[in-house]
Amino acid sequence: MSQTTTHQSKEAFLAPFQKHLNGKAIVPHIRTAAQEALAGLEFPTKRTEDWKYTNLKTLQQKSFKQASEGNISDVQPWLIPGLEADLIVFVNGQYQESLSSITYNQGIVRIVPFHQLEAADMPVFEQHFGQIVDGEKDIFSALNTAFADQGVMIHIGKGNIAPKPVMLLHINQGEGHTVGLQHRNLFVAEASSQVKIVEAFFSTGEGDSLRNNLTEISVAENANLEYIKLQLESETASQIDTTEVHQGRDSKASVFTITLSGDLIRNNLIFKLNDENTESHLMGTYLLSGRQHVDNFTQVHHKMPNCYSNELYKGILDEKSSAAFTGRINVYEDAQKTNAYQSNRNIILSETANIYTKPQLEIYADDVKCSHGATTGRIDEDAMFYLRARGINETEAKKLMIQAFTLEVTENISIEAVSEYVEGLVANRY
């Protein structure tokens, strides 16, 4: 393919995503820089080391269009049973004020869509937007930074403790043609604050879609933030998702990535432990079937002493599905007394499913405790025999084994209603 043809293909792909922030000039210098960088950035290929196991050619060949406004009047079918939370709803990428409700955290947590930002919000927004994720580094981050016109800022002030979680609900109504969507989050937890956030993605109807999402998270000194991401898309919906977390001294941050359906999913998750005594948890589970492909790419940067990180990803692969996991732990020279653990475990249920796993450690400090590992195999035959010998049929025994396997991740979700919801979805899957 000639350079001119490649350029035309890139421009055609990007065009539906290039919408401005409702004409509102928010941090224009950052958006302009990202837009300028976009011109020189190309799509990653299988020759790009960090994208070695994910082929984007099929996505690049699709002709995406902007989504319509959508016409959902009731979100009850997509809510999590028993979850009491403030609710922010996006339908076809557009904020739906009539379907949203903020009642539990009023006066404690500032929850505001980007186009409703007020003058009082701007100092925090401008301090953090585009400062956590490098919006000029890769084509998808640059695209989002330059043109994402829908997003939400969740800001919890110093010393505040959110009494209830915040839920972001995304519903894409299939329109029979390919749809391109973008969304941006900015979560800021100031010193000694606590907040829990749930974000869920659903797709309905027919037609392909691609979401290009970006989330920036700042967790200040002694703050605690938990973020659960539920990817429950249709079989024709794809996502490129980038999340980066920056932590201050004595802070704790936990990110759960639950992928139960979708077409092609790429999750980029980066943690930067920028001060001492931080605690970080990266946990995920993915249950794949059909020709679904999920690629989890994680990085943990231990920059300072006495920090702890724990990473656990577990996957179940069936039929012709495939998954990739790349986990990097970087321990810098000053990061003495680091404790860092990483594990990727997978169960293959068919002869045609594939998993590519690549845990990595890069250590420049000498007083550390670090480990990493990966396992891939079939369901334990001895355990299956044990269950069958006690009168449990094969299907039920298989379901129990899979539930037990994923439980190590889901039981760490501190919001009971969410944990039970995910465990129920796993059980019903098999």
Side-chain angles (χ1 to χ4, degrees), residues 17 30 40 68 73 94 105 151 205 217 230 238 250 274 276 293 306 323 335 338 349 362 369 424 430:
F17 297 92
I30 293 177
S68 65
S73 59
Q94 303 295 310
N105 295 301
I217 302 176
L230 306 176
S238 297
D250 299 313
N274 294 322
E276 295 189 49
H293 177 77
N306 302 302
T338 287
L349 299 179
E362 190 172 323
K369 292 181 180 179
Y430 296 96

PDB file of all heavy atoms in Angstrom, residues 17 30 40 68 73 94 105 151 205 217 230 238 250 274 276 293 306 323 335 338 349 362 369 424 430:
ATOM      1  N   PHE A  17     -14.453  10.250  14.435  1.00  0.00           N
ATOM      2  CA  PHE A  17     -14.135  10.504  15.836  1.00  0.00           C
ATOM      3  C   PHE A  17     -13.790  11.977  16.086  1.00  0.00           C
ATOM      4  O   PHE A  17     -13.671  12.395  17.229  1.00  0.00           O
ATOM      5  CB  PHE A  17     -12.937   9.649  16.267  1.00  0.00           C
ATOM      6  CG  PHE A  17     -13.186   8.162  16.199  1.00  0.00           C
ATOM      7  CD1 PHE A  17     -12.878   7.443  15.056  1.00  0.00           C
ATOM      8  CD2 PHE A  17     -13.723   7.479  17.287  1.00  0.00           C
ATOM      9  CE1 PHE A  17     -13.107   6.078  14.988  1.00  0.00           C
ATOM     10  CE2 PHE A  17     -13.950   6.120  17.228  1.00  0.00           C
ATOM     11  CZ  PHE A  17     -13.648   5.418  16.071  1.00  0.00           C
ATOM     12  N   ILE A  30      -3.579  21.836  25.031  1.00  0.00           N
ATOM     13  CA  ILE A  30      -3.357  20.389  25.097  1.00  0.00           C
ATOM     14  C   ILE A  30      -4.043  19.699  23.930  1.00  0.00           C
ATOM     15  O   ILE A  30      -3.480  18.803  23.284  1.00  0.00           O
ATOM     16  CB  ILE A  30      -3.855  19.832  26.443  1.00  0.00           C
ATOM     17  CG1 ILE A  30      -2.988  20.357  27.583  1.00  0.00           C
ATOM     18  CG2 ILE A  30      -3.867  18.306  26.443  1.00  0.00           C
ATOM     19  CD1 ILE A  30      -3.442  19.938  28.959  1.00  0.00           C
ATOM     20  N   GLY A  40       1.377  12.824  12.764  1.00  0.00           N
ATOM     21  CA  GLY A  40       2.596  12.045  12.598  1.00  0.00           C
ATOM     22  C   GLY A  40       2.546  10.656  13.209  1.00  0.00           C
ATOM     23  O   GLY A  40       3.552   9.936  13.185  1.00  0.00           O
ATOM     24  N   SER A  68     -26.070   8.201  16.226  1.00  0.00           N
ATOM     25  CA  SER A  68     -27.209   9.087  16.445  1.00  0.00           C
ATOM     26  C   SER A  68     -27.372   9.320  17.943  1.00  0.00           C
ATOM     27  O   SER A  68     -26.645   8.755  18.758  1.00  0.00           O
ATOM     28  CB  SER A  68     -28.478   8.467  15.863  1.00  0.00           C
ATOM     29  OG  SER A  68     -28.795   7.264  16.568  1.00  0.00           O
ATOM     30  N   SER A  73     -35.424   5.222  27.019  1.00  0.00           N
ATOM     31  CA  SER A  73     -36.194   5.949  28.031  1.00  0.00           C
ATOM     32  C   SER A  73     -36.099   5.304  29.407  1.00  0.00           C
ATOM     33  O   SER A  73     -36.497   5.907  30.410  1.00  0.00           O
ATOM     34  CB  SER A  73     -37.671   6.025  27.620  1.00  0.00           C
ATOM     35  OG  SER A  73     -38.204   4.720  27.458  1.00  0.00           O
ATOM     36  N   GLN A  94     -23.510   9.964  24.094  1.00  0.00           N
ATOM     37  CA  GLN A  94     -24.014  11.275  24.503  1.00  0.00           C
ATOM     38  C   GLN A  94     -24.576  11.222  25.929  1.00  0.00           C
ATOM     39  O   GLN A  94     -25.323  10.310  26.273  1.00  0.00           O
ATOM     40  CB  GLN A  94     -25.102  11.759  23.543  1.00  0.00           C
ATOM     41  CG  GLN A  94     -24.652  11.843  22.093  1.00  0.00           C
ATOM     42  CD  GLN A  94     -23.563  12.875  21.881  1.00  0.00           C
ATOM     43  OE1 GLN A  94     -23.698  14.023  22.315  1.00  0.00           O
ATOM     44  NE2 GLN A  94     -22.479  12.480  21.221  1.00  0.00           N
ATOM     45  N   ASN A 105     -24.141  11.446  46.789  1.00  0.00           N
ATOM     46  CA  ASN A 105     -22.851  12.083  47.069  1.00  0.00           C
ATOM     47  C   ASN A 105     -22.855  13.592  46.878  1.00  0.00           C
ATOM     48  O   ASN A 105     -21.794  14.206  46.751  1.00  0.00           O
ATOM     49  CB  ASN A 105     -21.772  11.467  46.154  1.00  0.00           C
ATOM     50  CG  ASN A 105     -21.538   9.991  46.453  1.00  0.00           C
ATOM     51  OD1 ASN A 105     -21.177   9.620  47.564  1.00  0.00           O
ATOM     52  ND2 ASN A 105     -21.759   9.149  45.449  1.00  0.00           N
ATOM     53  N   GLY A 151     -17.431  13.375  28.150  1.00  0.00           N
ATOM     54  CA  GLY A 151     -16.641  12.828  29.246  1.00  0.00           C
ATOM     55  C   GLY A 151     -17.205  13.290  30.566  1.00  0.00           C
ATOM     56  O   GLY A 151     -18.174  14.059  30.623  1.00  0.00           O
ATOM     57  N   GLY A 205     -28.680  -4.282  19.790  1.00  0.00           N
ATOM     58  CA  GLY A 205     -29.007  -4.188  18.374  1.00  0.00           C
ATOM     59  C   GLY A 205     -27.918  -4.730  17.473  1.00  0.00           C
ATOM     60  O   GLY A 205     -27.076  -5.527  17.876  1.00  0.00           O
ATOM     61  N   ILE A 217      -6.499   9.079  36.127  1.00  0.00           N
ATOM     62  CA  ILE A 217      -6.831   8.957  37.549  1.00  0.00           C
ATOM     63  C   ILE A 217      -5.687   9.503  38.394  1.00  0.00           C
ATOM     64  O   ILE A 217      -4.529   9.063  38.269  1.00  0.00           O
ATOM     65  CB  ILE A 217      -7.093   7.492  37.940  1.00  0.00           C
ATOM     66  CG1 ILE A 217      -8.236   6.907  37.096  1.00  0.00           C
ATOM     67  CG2 ILE A 217      -7.419   7.372  39.426  1.00  0.00           C
ATOM     68  CD1 ILE A 217      -8.500   5.427  37.343  1.00  0.00           C
ATOM     69  N   LEU A 230     -16.521  -2.804  33.702  1.00  0.00           N
ATOM     70  CA  LEU A 230     -17.251  -3.964  33.221  1.00  0.00           C
ATOM     71  C   LEU A 230     -17.458  -3.840  31.713  1.00  0.00           C
ATOM     72  O   LEU A 230     -18.204  -2.962  31.255  1.00  0.00           O
ATOM     73  CB  LEU A 230     -18.610  -4.078  33.920  1.00  0.00           C
ATOM     74  CG  LEU A 230     -18.597  -4.076  35.450  1.00  0.00           C
ATOM     75  CD1 LEU A 230     -20.022  -4.107  35.990  1.00  0.00           C
ATOM     76  CD2 LEU A 230     -17.809  -5.261  35.983  1.00  0.00           C
ATOM     77  N   SER A 238     -16.206  -3.367  19.610  1.00  0.00           N
ATOM     78  CA  SER A 238     -14.788  -3.386  19.969  1.00  0.00           C
ATOM     79  C   SER A 238     -14.445  -2.184  20.840  1.00  0.00           C
ATOM     80  O   SER A 238     -15.159  -1.176  20.826  1.00  0.00           O
ATOM     81  CB  SER A 238     -13.916  -3.377  18.706  1.00  0.00           C
ATOM     82  OG  SER A 238     -14.139  -4.532  17.934  1.00  0.00           O
ATOM     83  N   ASP A 250       1.352   7.097  50.542  1.00  0.00           N
ATOM     84  CA  ASP A 250       0.395   6.405  51.428  1.00  0.00           C
ATOM     85  C   ASP A 250      -0.982   6.192  50.787  1.00  0.00           C
ATOM     86  O   ASP A 250      -1.962   5.953  51.492  1.00  0.00           O
ATOM     87  CB  ASP A 250       0.211   7.174  52.745  1.00  0.00           C
ATOM     88  CG  ASP A 250       1.510   7.283  53.520  1.00  0.00           C
ATOM     89  OD1 ASP A 250       2.202   6.267  53.674  1.00  0.00           O
ATOM     90  OD2 ASP A 250       1.848   8.404  53.959  1.00  0.00           O
ATOM     91  N   ASN A 274       4.304   7.217  42.435  1.00  0.00           N
ATOM     92  CA  ASN A 274       5.196   8.374  42.412  1.00  0.00           C
ATOM     93  C   ASN A 274       5.734   8.785  43.774  1.00  0.00           C
ATOM     94  O   ASN A 274       6.533   9.717  43.857  1.00  0.00           O
ATOM     95  CB  ASN A 274       4.463   9.568  41.789  1.00  0.00           C
ATOM     96  CG  ASN A 274       4.149   9.339  40.321  1.00  0.00           C
ATOM     97  OD1 ASN A 274       4.945   8.762  39.588  1.00  0.00           O
ATOM     98  ND2 ASN A 274       2.980   9.783  39.885  1.00  0.00           N
ATOM     99  N   GLU A 276       6.284   7.343  48.270  1.00  0.00           N
ATOM    100  CA  GLU A 276       6.502   6.186  49.132  1.00  0.00           C
ATOM    101  C   GLU A 276       5.197   5.620  49.705  1.00  0.00           C
ATOM    102  O   GLU A 276       4.180   6.294  49.784  1.00  0.00           O
ATOM    103  CB  GLU A 276       7.435   6.573  50.293  1.00  0.00           C
ATOM    104  CG  GLU A 276       8.836   6.955  49.846  1.00  0.00           C
ATOM    105  CD  GLU A 276       9.788   7.114  51.025  1.00  0.00           C
ATOM    106  OE1 GLU A 276       9.819   6.209  51.883  1.00  0.00           O
ATOM    107  OE2 GLU A 276      10.480   8.147  51.088  1.00  0.00           O
ATOM    108  N   HIS A 293     -11.384 -11.566  20.834  1.00  0.00           N
ATOM    109  CA  HIS A 293      -9.965 -11.375  21.160  1.00  0.00           C
ATOM    110  C   HIS A 293      -9.849 -10.268  22.207  1.00  0.00           C
ATOM    111  O   HIS A 293     -10.418  -9.181  22.051  1.00  0.00           O
ATOM    112  CB  HIS A 293      -9.162 -10.976  19.919  1.00  0.00           C
ATOM    113  CG  HIS A 293      -7.716 -10.701  20.212  1.00  0.00           C
ATOM    114  ND1 HIS A 293      -6.790 -11.701  20.428  1.00  0.00           N
ATOM    115  CD2 HIS A 293      -7.037  -9.529  20.356  1.00  0.00           C
ATOM    116  CE1 HIS A 293      -5.608 -11.168  20.665  1.00  0.00           C
ATOM    117  NE2 HIS A 293      -5.729  -9.845  20.633  1.00  0.00           N
ATOM    118  N   ASN A 306       9.447   1.394  49.392  1.00  0.00           N
ATOM    119  CA  ASN A 306       8.407   0.908  50.304  1.00  0.00           C
ATOM    120  C   ASN A 306       7.007   0.887  49.682  1.00  0.00           C
ATOM    121  O   ASN A 306       6.021   1.218  50.342  1.00  0.00           O
ATOM    122  CB  ASN A 306       8.385   1.752  51.590  1.00  0.00           C
ATOM    123  CG  ASN A 306       9.715   1.732  52.303  1.00  0.00           C
ATOM    124  OD1 ASN A 306      10.225   0.676  52.677  1.00  0.00           O
ATOM    125  ND2 ASN A 306      10.326   2.904  52.464  1.00  0.00           N
ATOM    126  N   ALA A 323      -6.499 -14.568  23.448  1.00  0.00           N
ATOM    127  CA  ALA A 323      -6.196 -13.524  24.427  1.00  0.00           C
ATOM    128  C   ALA A 323      -4.697 -13.290  24.465  1.00  0.00           C
ATOM    129  O   ALA A 323      -3.895 -14.177  24.129  1.00  0.00           O
ATOM    130  CB  ALA A 323      -6.709 -13.904  25.817  1.00  0.00           C
ATOM    131  N   ALA A 335      13.726   2.713  44.183  1.00  0.00           N
ATOM    132  CA  ALA A 335      12.556   2.013  44.725  1.00  0.00           C
ATOM    133  C   ALA A 335      12.954   0.800  45.568  1.00  0.00           C
ATOM    134  O   ALA A 335      12.506  -0.329  45.325  1.00  0.00           O
ATOM    135  CB  ALA A 335      11.630   1.599  43.596  1.00  0.00           C
ATOM    136  N   THR A 338      10.730  -2.573  47.583  1.00  0.00           N
ATOM    137  CA  THR A 338       9.542  -2.781  46.753  1.00  0.00           C
ATOM    138  C   THR A 338       9.046  -4.219  46.895  1.00  0.00           C
ATOM    139  O   THR A 338       9.833  -5.160  46.877  1.00  0.00           O
ATOM    140  CB  THR A 338       9.871  -2.493  45.277  1.00  0.00           C
ATOM    141  OG1 THR A 338      10.004  -1.086  45.083  1.00  0.00           O
ATOM    142  CG2 THR A 338       8.774  -3.017  44.355  1.00  0.00           C
ATOM    143  N   LEU A 349     -10.534 -24.157  27.143  1.00  0.00           N
ATOM    144  CA  LEU A 349     -11.628 -25.128  27.098  1.00  0.00           C
ATOM    145  C   LEU A 349     -11.761 -25.822  25.751  1.00  0.00           C
ATOM    146  O   LEU A 349     -12.556 -26.760  25.625  1.00  0.00           O
ATOM    147  CB  LEU A 349     -12.956 -24.439  27.442  1.00  0.00           C
ATOM    148  CG  LEU A 349     -13.062 -23.799  28.828  1.00  0.00           C
ATOM    149  CD1 LEU A 349     -14.425 -23.140  28.993  1.00  0.00           C
ATOM    150  CD2 LEU A 349     -12.831 -24.824  29.924  1.00  0.00           C
ATOM    151  N   GLU A 362      11.573  -5.712  35.284  1.00  0.00           N
ATOM    152  CA  GLU A 362      12.768  -4.920  34.994  1.00  0.00           C
ATOM    153  C   GLU A 362      13.162  -4.213  36.290  1.00  0.00           C
ATOM    154  O   GLU A 362      12.488  -3.271  36.713  1.00  0.00           O
ATOM    155  CB  GLU A 362      12.480  -3.919  33.869  1.00  0.00           C
ATOM    156  CG  GLU A 362      13.721  -3.222  33.346  1.00  0.00           C
ATOM    157  CD  GLU A 362      13.443  -2.387  32.117  1.00  0.00           C
ATOM    158  OE1 GLU A 362      12.624  -2.830  31.281  1.00  0.00           O
ATOM    159  OE2 GLU A 362      14.032  -1.296  32.002  1.00  0.00           O
ATOM    160  N   LYS A 369      11.332  -7.492  46.743  1.00  0.00           N
ATOM    161  CA  LYS A 369      10.688  -8.798  46.646  1.00  0.00           C
ATOM    162  C   LYS A 369       9.730  -8.735  45.455  1.00  0.00           C
ATOM    163  O   LYS A 369       8.693  -8.087  45.522  1.00  0.00           O
ATOM    164  CB  LYS A 369       9.920  -9.124  47.927  1.00  0.00           C
ATOM    165  CG  LYS A 369      10.791  -9.348  49.151  1.00  0.00           C
ATOM    166  CD  LYS A 369       9.933  -9.682  50.367  1.00  0.00           C
ATOM    167  CE  LYS A 369      10.799  -9.899  51.603  1.00  0.00           C
ATOM    168  NZ  LYS A 369       9.957 -10.196  52.809  1.00  0.00           N
ATOM    169  N   GLY A 424     -22.598 -13.791  39.169  1.00  0.00           N
ATOM    170  CA  GLY A 424     -23.808 -14.319  38.561  1.00  0.00           C
ATOM    171  C   GLY A 424     -23.685 -14.422  37.054  1.00  0.00           C
ATOM    172  O   GLY A 424     -24.135 -15.390  36.433  1.00  0.00           O
ATOM    173  N   TYR A 430     -21.968 -20.316  31.805  1.00  0.00           N
ATOM    174  CA  TYR A 430     -21.653 -21.736  31.614  1.00  0.00           C
ATOM    175  C   TYR A 430     -22.756 -22.636  32.151  1.00  0.00           C
ATOM    176  O   TYR A 430     -22.499 -23.799  32.410  1.00  0.00           O
ATOM    177  CB  TYR A 430     -20.311 -22.058  32.268  1.00  0.00           C
ATOM    178  CG  TYR A 430     -19.162 -21.310  31.616  1.00  0.00           C
ATOM    179  CD1 TYR A 430     -18.700 -20.116  32.147  1.00  0.00           C
ATOM    180  CD2 TYR A 430     -18.586 -21.783  30.438  1.00  0.00           C
ATOM    181  CE1 TYR A 430     -17.675 -19.406  31.527  1.00  0.00           C
ATOM    182  CE2 TYR A 430     -17.562 -21.087  29.812  1.00  0.00           C
ATOM    183  CZ  TYR A 430     -17.113 -19.899  30.366  1.00  0.00           C
ATOM    184  OH  TYR A 430     -16.103 -19.215  29.747  1.00  0.00           O
TER     185      TYR A 430
END
